[in-house]
Amino acid sequence: MGRNYRNCSKTSRVPRRPFEKDRIDAELKLVGKYGLKNKREVWRVGLVLSKIRTTARELLTLDEKDTRRVFEGTAMLKRLTRLGLLDDNKQALDYVLSLKTEDFLDRRLQTRVFQLGLAKTIHHARVQIWQRHIRVGKQVVDVPSFTVRTDSEKHIDIALGSALSGAKPGRVKRKKMRRAGAGGGDDDDEE
């Protein structure tokens, strides 16, 4: 057995106070609104947000002409703008501190599919993504938490090989067609 040299870090952080009523209610509301599987998905987004805000706070303490603040700050703003979290007119580190969990949850593929009208409900959108019916560009994406960039948002569509696109009928429909073609007059099998 060799050593495992992969750097593994936690992807979510549990709350310090597990039974705080206001926080539990707020999380439950987010889980329902965005159709999340569990609260760990909320905590995962919270951890990403806290890391970004910590970096922004650290950069704000540096001098405005400092090379590290200039390069890392512009890179962070560019990345957040490309993800659709910041507008083009809000290009300052101060706006990074005002980001909320909802801003990140709005950029998820599951939310985008529902808002584009490709699914009837937010939960239906999650199922469609999981069953590989949705593509972004030419790539089929089966991860509901996939963060959609602004330039690829207009390329979200039904997958080409999906039964929803009309290409090939699904498994159940093929079975019904076979039964209808072969059986003809036998109605006793369907009871």
Side-chain angles (χ1 to χ4, degrees), residues 10 12 14-15 51 57 65 100 115-116 120 130 132 140 145 152 156 161 191:
K10 292 192 173 185
S12 65
V14 297
K51 284 182 178 179
R57 252 190 261 103
K65 304 288 185 209
K100 297 185 294 294
Q115 289 174 347
L116 288 172
K120 297 173 186 171
W130 185 246
R132 302 175 57 85
V140 174
S145 63
S152 62
I156 298 174
E191 290 181 355

Side-chain angles (χ1 to χ4, degrees), residues 13 45-57 104:
R13 185 183 301 151
V45 170
L47 181 63
V48 170
L49 179 61
S50 72
K51 284 182 178 179
I52 289 173
R53 293 183 67 199
T54 303
T55 306
R57 252 190 261 103
F104 281 87

